[in-house]
């Protein structure tokens, strides 16, 4: 194990795995392994199941130290949401937006009913004003919704909910945007959209080999 932070590397059968300190001791979500170290329990974090884990392994520099509230767009069944819940602990909240009632059912029964720092919001992220119940501005907007207009959706949500000077992490699934254009050009096109809306691009991370033709963009919201 490298350190005792909420995100760490643990060794299992001689192999290093990225992991998060489990907020719910003894409870797993998707078949991840539990490893005890110095009184803490870690859950292995599968980079093939979570693009945030893939981004970390591929060099994402992100410090959750000052992150309390997170707006998460495209929560699905809550795999990555559960690891963010581990990372921020009970002093913060993950507001998890998911439009599909089918997957949201699993998000609620397996994640938010057990993790009190996860608030499910069953709404369309294209209508950010529909979840105005979020009481404070966010320290981070995370967007992974795999839609052709995903960048615009992320920008619209940041304009309403993200604090100035705070980061957004945007997953770009290039094939959801344009299958005819090269992935590299799609990513450049989406980055230009962000720059036109006052985002300062800090990192662009290719998520291969975990997710082909995907990138994660880390950008800071600096409205003029
Ligand atoms: N982020 C998830 C994870 O790492 O565990 C995986 C997300 S999956 C790639 C994309 C999710 O976005 C799907 O569950 C889909 O239903 C949801 N989604 C798509 N369009 C949406 C929208 N307009 N508003 C909210 N959620 C949406």
């Amino acid at each position: 194990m490298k350190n005792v932070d909420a995100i760490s590397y643990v060794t299992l059968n001689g192999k290093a795995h990225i992991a998060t300190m489990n907020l719910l001791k003894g409870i797993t979500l998707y078949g991840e392994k539990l490893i005890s170290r110095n009184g803490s329990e870690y859950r292995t974090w599968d980079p093939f199941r979570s693009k945030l884990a893939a981004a970390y392994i591929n060099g994402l520099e992100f410090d959750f130290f000052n992150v309390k509230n997170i707006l998460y767009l495209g929560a699905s069944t809550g795999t990555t949401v559960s690891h963010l819940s581990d990372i921020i602990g009970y002093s913060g909240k993950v507001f998890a937006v998911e439009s599909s009632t089918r997957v949201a059912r699993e998000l609620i029964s397996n994640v938010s009913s057990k993790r009190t720092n996860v608030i499910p919001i069953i709404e369309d992220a294209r209508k950010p004003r529909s979840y105005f119940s979020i009481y404070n501005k966010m320290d981070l907007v995370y967007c992974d919704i795999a839609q052709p207009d995903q960048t615009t959706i992320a920008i619209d949500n940041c304009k309403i909910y993200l604090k100035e000077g705070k980061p957004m992490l945007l997953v770009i699934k290039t094939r959801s945007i344009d299958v005819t254009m090269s992935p590299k050009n799609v990513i450049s096109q989406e980055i230009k959209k962000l720059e036109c809306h006052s985002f300062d691009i800090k990192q662009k991370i290719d998520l291969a080999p975990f997710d082909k033709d995907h990138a994660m963009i880390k950008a800071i919201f600096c409205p003029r």
Side-chain angles (χ1 to χ4, degrees):
M1 191 165 55
K2 256 192 196 165
N3 56 47
V4 289
D5 289 336
I7 303 174
S8 190
Y9 279 86
V10 294
T11 306
L12 186 64
N13 301 328
K15 212 176 145 207
H17 294 264
I18 192 167
T20 58
M21 199 184 282
N22 196 2
L23 205 58
L24 295 181
K25 272 196 172 181
I27 297 181
T28 59
L29 178 65
Y30 59 98
E32 68 276 31
K33 298 278 181 289
L34 296 179
I35 297 156
S36 290
R37 291 284 185 282
N38 306 328
S40 297
E41 182 180 84
Y42 283 82
R43 289 196 298 139
T44 55
W45 191 6
D46 186 346
F48 289 95
R49 301 280 299 268
S50 170
K51 295 175 198 90
L52 185 54
Y56 261 110
I57 291 169
N58 285 2
L60 174 68
E61 288 164 12
F62 197 91
D63 184 358
F64 278 93
F65 189 69
N66 288 317
V67 175
K68 216 171 153 205
N69 291 327
I70 301 173
L71 177 61
Y72 191 113
L73 309 173
S76 188
T77 54
T79 303
T80 302
V81 166
S82 73
H83 287 283
L84 284 171
S85 152
D86 283 349
I87 294 164
I88 62 169
Y90 291 118
S91 62
K93 294 216 178 321
V94 185
F95 296 89
V97 180
E98 173 54 54
S99 59
S100 159
T101 47
R102 187 182 54 79
V103 290
R105 222 172 279 139
E106 279 186 56
L107 171 72
I108 292 168
S109 61
N110 300 337
V111 182
S112 63
S113 62
K114 297 175 182 153
R115 293 173 174 264
T116 54
N117 64 353
V118 174
I119 313 294
I121 299 173
I122 318 308
E123 293 285 357
D124 183 348
R126 286 192 182 88
K127 299 175 186 160
R129 296 205 180 270
S130 65
Y131 36 95
F132 217 76
S133 54
I134 299 173
Y135 45 86
N136 267 324
K137 287 231 175 185
M138 301 288 122
D139 304 302
L140 166 67
V141 170
Y142 184 96
C143 180
D144 177 19
I145 55 178
Q147 293 287 340
D149 55 343
Q150 58 201 359
T151 304
T152 304
I153 294 172
I155 291 169
D156 290 347
N157 276 269
C158 288
K159 284 185 175 169
I160 298 174
Y161 295 116
L162 186 58
K163 288 179 188 165
E164 287 187 19
K166 293 293 180 183
M168 166 172 73
L169 293 173
L170 172 66
V171 175
I172 298 180
K173 182 179 179 183
T174 63
R175 300 186 77 75
S176 291
I177 296 172
D178 192 333
V179 281
T180 64
M181 213 191 269
S182 80
K184 204 170 152 225
N185 288 349
V186 173
I187 291 163
S188 300
Q189 169 192 285
E190 300 308 297
I191 283 178
K192 276 194 195 112
K193 282 184 202 165
L194 292 171
E195 287 171 338
C196 286
H197 286 272
S198 309
F199 285 88
D200 184 11
I201 308 301
K202 294 294 185 193
Q203 272 190 290
K204 178 181 79 175
I205 293 164
D206 186 344
L207 300 186
F210 308 107
D211 284 285
K212 198 170 168 275
D213 299 334
H214 283 69
M216 183 172 288
I217 306 298
K218 176 177 141 188
I220 305 294
F221 185 45
C222 304
R224 281 176 272 274

